[in-house]
Amino acid sequence: MSWWAVVCLLLFAVTATTAQAQLPFNVPKPPPPTAAALFANHCGICHTIEPNSPPRQGPNLAGVFLRKPGILPGFHYSPGLSQADFVWDDAHLDAWLTDPQKLIPGALMRYRQADPAIRGKIIEWLKEQH
Ligand code: HEC
């Protein structure tokens, strides 16, 4: 191996290790996602929460906390959801987000959240939007 190849290898090794060693100091940790961002990422593809905005795949969620399920005019709910006899309180929202079809057989919502921390954050945020 010629001397310049050795120098190049050494230089590469030194730069690579220094760069790696400095990484934790140079790159700030990303902040945990806000509840609004969680809603946007987990629910926003199917739901809006702006009052009077049109439904997406799912109904508009403005004012959903403590409302009866399945009552927004103009949205075609599953029969189970439109006949449900409860209000969207913490417990029902938590059960719904965990497994919609377990709470209401035949429910049309294709989403499940196994992480109670994420469910809790989103439910708290829904309440604040009330
Ligand atoms: C893949 C699309 C999709 C995603 C993602 C989704 N939903 Fe839904 N959601 C629906 C559909 C469709 C319905 C109507 C279900 C039915 O009629 O059975 C619904 C219904 C609901 C209802 C009942 C509304 C009412 O008027 O009674 C609530 C509450 C709800 N979703 C909350 C959420 C939340 C909170 C999230 C995010 C954590 C979420 N959904 C994610 C599609 C989705």
Side-chain angles (χ1 to χ4, degrees):
M1 203 187 296
S2 59
W3 65 269
W4 53 265
V6 174
V7 171
C8 281
L9 267 176
L10 271 176
L11 267 178
F12 175 76
V14 169
T15 352
T17 9
T18 339
Q20 252 182 14
Q22 283 176 351
L23 213 59
F25 306 106
N26 291 340
V27 183
K29 252 193 179 172
T34 62
L38 282 178
F39 180 84
N41 292 336
H42 289 254
C43 327
I45 190 165
C46 297
H47 292 284
T48 56
I49 193 160
E50 299 292 317
N52 302 321
S53 59
R56 296 188 175 159
Q57 192 182 324
N60 187 318
L61 293 183
V64 78
F65 192 70
L66 296 184
R67 190 168 71 198
K68 272 198 74 171
I71 59 166
L72 283 192
F75 187 82
H76 195 72
Y77 290 96
S78 63
L81 198 64
S82 47
Q83 287 156 25
D85 191 20
F86 57 80
V87 293
W88 286 123
D89 54 14
D90 289 76
H92 285 97
L93 281 171
D94 196 60
W96 176 250
L97 297 185
T98 308
D99 186 348
Q101 287 74 31
K102 195 171 166 202
L103 180 68
I104 298 188
L108 296 172
M109 177 158 131
R110 299 277 167 264
Y111 175 87
R112 278 183 191 190
Q113 181 51 256
D115 184 341
I118 296 183
R119 294 197 307 269
K121 258 189 146 178
I122 293 177
I123 292 170
E124 283 306 310
W125 187 80
L126 280 177
K127 275 195 232 178
E128 285 167 22
Q129 309 310 304
H130 202 54

